[in-house]
């Protein structure tokens, strides 16, 4: 069922303790559209696309500037780890290829592989650095994905009401029963403005 321009709250009148609930419709951030490169997109879509194109752009669009050091720290830190392990992996891969082509351990280039005492240690080092590099590829992708998800969720929650008028109370209550004596229970009441 499609809603019109204004949504109505449902009124329940099925008992002596029923109440009419009046609500005010708040503009939904996932329904309003804006322009991005000629396309009509919602605010959350725009924030996610900006964060996808340039890390931190979604946070800037949402005006959450304080998150930029976290974004660039996460992506920069994992990116540096990826760079470090890729460089070491290439060094060990070149050393293994040189050993396969007949060079000795003394003729190898690279500060790490020169310290290796045997051919087997070069192979183990190659495997270890490949595994660490692959993990940092995943870590970098995860950090990048989290920044995109953060921009998307932040744009969705931009219009979320966090006023002091919202409350949830737990009160004792008497519940109707089939017998003449009412039963005791707890009433969970949600109060809106």
């Amino acid at each position: 069922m499609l809603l019109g321009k204004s949504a109505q709250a449902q009124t329940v009148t099925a008992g002596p303790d029923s109440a009419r609930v009046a609500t005010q419709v708040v503009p939904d951030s996932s329904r309003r559209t804006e322009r991005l490169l000629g396309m009509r997109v919602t605010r959350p879509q725009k924030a996610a696309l900006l964060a996808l194109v340039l890390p931190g752009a979604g946070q800037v669009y949402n005006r959450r500037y304080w998150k930029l050091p976290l974004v660039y720290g996460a992506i920069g830190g994992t990116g540096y780890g990826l760079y470090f392990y890729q460089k070491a992996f290439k060094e060990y891969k070149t050393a293994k290829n040189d050993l396969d082509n007949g060079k000795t351990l003394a003729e190898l280039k690279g500060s790490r592989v020169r310290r290796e005492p045997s051919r087997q240690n070069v192979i183990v080092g190659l495997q270890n650095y490949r595994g660490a590099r692959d993990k940092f590829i995943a870590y970098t992708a995860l950090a990048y994905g989290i920044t995109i998800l953060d921009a998307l969720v932040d744009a969705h929650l931009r219009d979320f009401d966090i006023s002091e008028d919202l409350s949830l109370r737990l009160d004792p209550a008497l519940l109707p029963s089939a017998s003449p004596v009412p039963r005791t229970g707890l009433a969970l009441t949600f109060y809106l403005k």
Side-chain angles (χ1 to χ4, degrees):
M1 178 172 120
L2 296 175
L3 295 176
K5 287 190 177 187
S6 64
Q8 297 288 329
Q10 182 179 5
T11 305
V12 179
T13 56
D17 61 344
S18 64
R20 177 177 291 268
V21 178
T23 61
Q24 178 182 0
V25 177
V26 179
D28 188 5
S29 64
S30 64
R31 291 191 182 155
R32 288 185 305 194
T33 58
E34 296 180 1
R35 289 251 180 226
L36 177 67
L37 301 174
M39 299 182 307
R40 301 223 24 104
V41 293
T42 62
R43 281 190 59 83
Q45 286 174 338
K46 188 173 182 179
L49 287 172
L50 288 171
L52 180 66
V53 171
L54 179 68
Q59 284 74 14
V60 170
Y61 175 71
N62 291 330
R63 293 186 175 92
R64 301 290 192 248
Y65 305 107
W66 64 271
K67 291 183 180 181
L68 285 178
L70 300 174
V71 168
Y72 286 109
I75 292 175
T78 56
Y80 176 75
L82 176 59
Y83 167 77
F84 174 81
Y85 286 115
Q86 175 65 21
K87 188 175 172 184
F89 169 71
K90 279 187 173 182
E91 184 178 324
Y92 273 82
K93 185 175 180 181
T94 304
K96 182 183 178 298
N97 289 341
D98 289 346
L99 288 174
D100 290 343
N101 291 332
K103 287 190 176 180
T104 63
L105 286 171
E107 296 173 329
L108 297 178
K109 295 178 182 174
S111 61
R112 293 179 189 90
V113 293
R114 281 190 184 162
R115 290 180 270 171
E116 297 294 350
S118 69
R119 176 185 176 87
Q120 185 61 30
N121 286 16
V122 172
I123 293 171
V124 169
L126 176 68
Q127 293 169 349
N128 289 341
Y129 283 119
R130 178 185 295 136
R133 181 212 48 189
D134 292 348
K135 285 179 190 173
F136 268 89
I137 288 172
Y139 294 156
T140 304
L142 182 66
Y144 191 59
I146 286 173
T147 62
I148 295 168
L149 185 65
D150 173 64
L152 176 73
V153 170
D154 199 10
H156 267 293
L157 296 178
R158 188 169 182 84
D159 298 326
F160 189 72
D161 186 13
I162 56 171
S163 67
E164 297 293 326
D165 296 338
L166 300 176
S167 63
L168 187 66
R169 291 185 37 196
L170 187 64
D171 296 320
L174 293 175
L175 303 173
S177 67
S179 68
V181 180
R183 297 186 328 221
T184 59
L186 292 174
L188 187 63
T189 310
F190 183 59
Y191 291 99
L192 299 172
K193 294 182 193 179

